[in-house]
Amino acid sequence: MSATLKPKKRLWQQPLHLMYSALFLFFWVYTGLTTPDLKNWLLENVLTLSLIIFLVAFYNIFRFSDASYTLIFLFLLLHVYGSQYQYADNPFGEWLKGQLGVARNHYDRLVHLGYGLLLTYPLHEVLAFGFKLRSILTYLLPVELILSTSVLYELVEWMVADWVYGGGEQGMVFLGMQGDIWDAQKDVAMALAGSLVAMAVAYVFIKRKLEV
């Protein structure tokens, strides 16, 4: 199923979308009820709710492909699980730390990588099917959007840490720097790397499909 404008089928006629919605809602509520830091969870989920509102508002105007909804679903799970704990204390990141033999909890890096890797193709569909831009732009602009929004996120994160936590030690914990002065730059680099990989893979698959 490809992305479409003004689709005929409603949500209740889309079992895959209903399943994703139910699973996400269950997991989102679960993380909210079990988080050890509700304030951090609420702050982290502002963007989550923004994306959900956008998807619901435009569901009957622009319909993503099932592949894109799957990618968005996976990213939301990745992000919401990250919001359940402070990133520096994320259990999966702690497990990875032991497996890789590193001193830092890298779950935040994984989420930033996932941002580029999982959300770039949905942006490609919006530009290709929603705005009907030229082919080359539908591959270049998603990468630029991921890069620019990643930088914007780091700026917003800094403002929240300064205004909500007073820029103190708790603010540093919220930022998840873990003593790395280049944390923001590395997070942006991970998102960019994921985005480039996503567009390269999409280009190869779409080109092969057109040649068949």
Side-chain angles (χ1 to χ4, degrees), residues 1 4 16 32 45 54 56 74 78 88 102 104 106 121 137 143 154 159-160 195 199:
M1 177 182 176
T4 57
L16 182 67
N45 275 282
F54 172 83
V56 171
L74 291 174
L78 194 67
V102 295
R104 188 186 190 280
H106 284 291
Y121 182 72
L137 292 178
V143 176
E154 294 298 331
M159 287 188 287
V160 171
S195 184
M199 277 296 86

mmCIF file of all heavy atoms in Angstrom, residues 1 4 16 32 45 54 56 74 78 88 102 104 106 121 137 143 154 159-160 195 199:
data_model
loop_
_atom_site.group_PDB
_atom_site.id
_atom_site.type_symbol
_atom_site.label_atom_id
_atom_site.label_comp_id
_atom_site.label_asym_id
_atom_site.label_seq_id
_atom_site.Cartn_x
_atom_site.Cartn_y
_atom_site.Cartn_z
ATOM 1 N N MET A 1 0.851 -1.199 0.000
ATOM 2 C CA MET A 1 0.000 0.000 0.000
ATOM 3 C C MET A 1 0.881 1.240 0.000
ATOM 4 O O MET A 1 1.784 1.382 0.818
ATOM 5 C CB MET A 1 -0.894 -0.009 1.248
ATOM 6 C CG MET A 1 -1.767 1.233 1.381
ATOM 7 S SD MET A 1 -2.744 1.165 2.898
ATOM 8 C CE MET A 1 -3.544 2.762 2.813
ATOM 9 N N THR A 4 -1.250 7.956 0.000
ATOM 10 C CA THR A 4 -2.310 8.489 -0.843
ATOM 11 C C THR A 4 -2.898 9.745 -0.242
ATOM 12 O O THR A 4 -2.815 9.979 0.959
ATOM 13 C CB THR A 4 -3.460 7.470 -1.020
ATOM 14 O OG1 THR A 4 -3.952 7.106 0.281
ATOM 15 C CG2 THR A 4 -2.987 6.226 -1.738
ATOM 16 N N LEU A 16 -4.216 -3.046 10.548
ATOM 17 C CA LEU A 16 -2.824 -2.801 10.936
ATOM 18 C C LEU A 16 -2.708 -1.493 11.709
ATOM 19 O O LEU A 16 -2.043 -1.428 12.748
ATOM 20 C CB LEU A 16 -1.925 -2.757 9.694
ATOM 21 C CG LEU A 16 -0.423 -2.548 9.985
ATOM 22 C CD1 LEU A 16 0.151 -3.755 10.714
ATOM 23 C CD2 LEU A 16 0.346 -2.291 8.697
ATOM 24 N N GLY A 32 3.992 5.683 31.428
ATOM 25 C CA GLY A 32 3.588 6.785 32.299
ATOM 26 C C GLY A 32 3.298 6.337 33.717
ATOM 27 O O GLY A 32 3.610 7.040 34.684
ATOM 28 N N ASN A 45 7.424 13.687 26.575
ATOM 29 C CA ASN A 45 6.301 13.279 25.742
ATOM 30 C C ASN A 45 5.554 14.432 25.095
ATOM 31 O O ASN A 45 4.546 14.206 24.418
ATOM 32 C CB ASN A 45 5.334 12.417 26.552
ATOM 33 C CG ASN A 45 5.757 10.962 26.571
ATOM 34 O OD1 ASN A 45 5.543 10.229 25.612
ATOM 35 N ND2 ASN A 45 6.396 10.552 27.656
ATOM 36 N N PHE A 54 -0.704 15.359 15.049
ATOM 37 C CA PHE A 54 -0.509 15.592 13.617
ATOM 38 C C PHE A 54 -1.002 14.397 12.798
ATOM 39 O O PHE A 54 -1.717 14.568 11.797
ATOM 40 C CB PHE A 54 0.971 15.847 13.336
ATOM 41 C CG PHE A 54 1.310 15.918 11.878
ATOM 42 C CD1 PHE A 54 1.126 17.082 11.161
ATOM 43 C CD2 PHE A 54 1.800 14.796 11.215
ATOM 44 C CE1 PHE A 54 1.427 17.140 9.797
ATOM 45 C CE2 PHE A 54 2.106 14.840 9.858
ATOM 46 C CZ PHE A 54 1.918 16.017 9.155
ATOM 47 N N VAL A 56 -3.180 12.066 13.613
ATOM 48 C CA VAL A 56 -4.637 11.916 13.713
ATOM 49 C C VAL A 56 -5.348 12.989 12.885
ATOM 50 O O VAL A 56 -6.303 12.702 12.155
ATOM 51 C CB VAL A 56 -5.083 12.002 15.184
ATOM 52 C CG1 VAL A 56 -6.604 12.065 15.276
ATOM 53 C CG2 VAL A 56 -4.553 10.802 15.968
ATOM 54 N N LEU A 74 7.572 2.277 15.218
ATOM 55 C CA LEU A 74 8.813 1.828 15.854
ATOM 56 C C LEU A 74 9.553 2.986 16.517
ATOM 57 O O LEU A 74 10.077 2.851 17.632
ATOM 58 C CB LEU A 74 9.720 1.149 14.820
ATOM 59 C CG LEU A 74 9.232 -0.196 14.281
ATOM 60 C CD1 LEU A 74 10.150 -0.687 13.172
ATOM 61 C CD2 LEU A 74 9.145 -1.231 15.401
ATOM 62 N N LEU A 78 10.410 3.517 20.534
ATOM 63 C CA LEU A 78 11.794 3.786 20.937
ATOM 64 C C LEU A 78 11.869 5.034 21.802
ATOM 65 O O LEU A 78 12.536 5.051 22.856
ATOM 66 C CB LEU A 78 12.656 3.955 19.677
ATOM 67 C CG LEU A 78 14.175 3.909 19.815
ATOM 68 C CD1 LEU A 78 14.637 2.518 20.225
ATOM 69 C CD2 LEU A 78 14.820 4.291 18.477
ATOM 70 N N ALA A 88 20.310 8.565 30.796
ATOM 71 C CA ALA A 88 21.561 8.050 31.339
ATOM 72 C C ALA A 88 21.353 6.775 32.155
ATOM 73 O O ALA A 88 22.304 6.042 32.417
ATOM 74 C CB ALA A 88 22.232 9.106 32.209
ATOM 75 N N VAL A 102 31.471 -0.373 27.228
ATOM 76 C CA VAL A 102 31.693 1.078 27.174
ATOM 77 C C VAL A 102 31.271 1.697 28.498
ATOM 78 O O VAL A 102 30.516 1.109 29.279
ATOM 79 C CB VAL A 102 30.917 1.723 26.010
ATOM 80 C CG1 VAL A 102 31.449 1.223 24.679
ATOM 81 C CG2 VAL A 102 29.422 1.431 26.124
ATOM 82 N N ARG A 104 29.649 4.667 28.812
ATOM 83 C CA ARG A 104 28.498 5.551 28.662
ATOM 84 C C ARG A 104 27.244 4.796 28.277
ATOM 85 O O ARG A 104 27.304 3.813 27.533
ATOM 86 C CB ARG A 104 28.793 6.610 27.586
ATOM 87 C CG ARG A 104 27.746 7.713 27.464
ATOM 88 C CD ARG A 104 28.080 8.614 26.283
ATOM 89 N NE ARG A 104 27.261 9.812 26.270
ATOM 90 C CZ ARG A 104 26.004 9.878 25.830
ATOM 91 N NH1 ARG A 104 25.425 8.788 25.336
ATOM 92 N NH2 ARG A 104 25.340 11.023 25.853
ATOM 93 N N HIS A 106 24.382 4.599 25.987
ATOM 94 C CA HIS A 106 24.206 5.168 24.647
ATOM 95 C C HIS A 106 22.763 5.091 24.138
ATOM 96 O O HIS A 106 22.528 5.229 22.928
ATOM 97 C CB HIS A 106 25.122 4.462 23.647
ATOM 98 C CG HIS A 106 26.554 4.883 23.738
ATOM 99 N ND1 HIS A 106 26.983 6.138 23.374
ATOM 100 C CD2 HIS A 106 27.654 4.214 24.172
ATOM 101 C CE1 HIS A 106 28.293 6.230 23.559
ATOM 102 N NE2 HIS A 106 28.716 5.083 24.049
ATOM 103 N N TYR A 121 11.995 8.324 5.699
ATOM 104 C CA TYR A 121 11.170 7.821 4.593
ATOM 105 C C TYR A 121 9.736 8.357 4.644
ATOM 106 O O TYR A 121 9.185 8.736 3.595
ATOM 107 C CB TYR A 121 11.177 6.291 4.554
ATOM 108 C CG TYR A 121 10.369 5.756 3.400
ATOM 109 C CD1 TYR A 121 10.846 5.878 2.094
ATOM 110 C CD2 TYR A 121 9.116 5.173 3.601
ATOM 111 C CE1 TYR A 121 10.100 5.431 1.016
ATOM 112 C CE2 TYR A 121 8.368 4.724 2.531
ATOM 113 C CZ TYR A 121 8.861 4.852 1.240
ATOM 114 O OH TYR A 121 8.119 4.415 0.174
ATOM 115 N N LEU A 137 14.365 16.271 -5.101
ATOM 116 C CA LEU A 137 14.037 17.011 -3.882
ATOM 117 C C LEU A 137 13.415 16.106 -2.819
ATOM 118 O O LEU A 137 13.590 16.344 -1.626
ATOM 119 C CB LEU A 137 13.086 18.164 -4.201
ATOM 120 C CG LEU A 137 13.661 19.304 -5.040
ATOM 121 C CD1 LEU A 137 12.593 20.353 -5.320
ATOM 122 C CD2 LEU A 137 14.848 19.947 -4.325
ATOM 123 N N VAL A 143 16.385 14.683 4.284
ATOM 124 C CA VAL A 143 17.643 14.686 5.042
ATOM 125 C C VAL A 143 17.870 16.057 5.675
ATOM 126 O O VAL A 143 18.263 16.165 6.841
ATOM 127 C CB VAL A 143 18.835 14.314 4.126
ATOM 128 C CG1 VAL A 143 20.157 14.413 4.898
ATOM 129 C CG2 VAL A 143 18.658 12.907 3.566
ATOM 130 N N GLU A 154 17.656 20.094 19.873
ATOM 131 C CA GLU A 154 18.727 20.329 20.846
ATOM 132 C C GLU A 154 18.591 21.720 21.478
ATOM 133 O O GLU A 154 18.845 21.896 22.674
ATOM 134 C CB GLU A 154 20.099 20.183 20.176
ATOM 135 C CG GLU A 154 20.433 18.783 19.689
ATOM 136 C CD GLU A 154 20.502 17.763 20.810
ATOM 137 O OE1 GLU A 154 20.840 18.151 21.956
ATOM 138 O OE2 GLU A 154 20.214 16.586 20.551
ATOM 139 N N MET A 159 16.738 24.869 26.295
ATOM 140 C CA MET A 159 15.869 25.854 26.930
ATOM 141 C C MET A 159 15.058 25.237 28.068
ATOM 142 O O MET A 159 14.871 25.839 29.121
ATOM 143 C CB MET A 159 14.943 26.487 25.889
ATOM 144 C CG MET A 159 15.654 27.456 24.953
ATOM 145 S SD MET A 159 14.521 28.375 23.863
ATOM 146 C CE MET A 159 14.040 27.092 22.717
ATOM 147 N N VAL A 160 14.585 24.005 27.858
ATOM 148 C CA VAL A 160 13.834 23.318 28.905
ATOM 149 C C VAL A 160 14.719 23.064 30.116
ATOM 150 O O VAL A 160 14.322 23.287 31.267
ATOM 151 C CB VAL A 160 13.252 21.986 28.377
ATOM 152 C CG1 VAL A 160 12.662 21.164 29.525
ATOM 153 C CG2 VAL A 160 12.195 22.247 27.315
ATOM 154 N N SER A 195 19.485 9.273 8.697
ATOM 155 C CA SER A 195 18.710 9.819 7.598
ATOM 156 C C SER A 195 19.354 9.499 6.249
ATOM 157 O O SER A 195 18.666 9.129 5.285
ATOM 158 C CB SER A 195 18.572 11.333 7.769
ATOM 159 O OG SER A 195 17.755 11.881 6.763
ATOM 160 N N MET A 199 17.604 7.207 3.257
ATOM 161 C CA MET A 199 17.353 7.680 1.902
ATOM 162 C C MET A 199 18.131 6.869 0.864
ATOM 163 O O MET A 199 17.637 6.640 -0.253
ATOM 164 C CB MET A 199 17.709 9.162 1.786
ATOM 165 C CG MET A 199 16.614 10.102 2.245
ATOM 166 S SD MET A 199 15.064 10.058 1.269
ATOM 167 C CE MET A 199 14.157 8.712 2.054
#
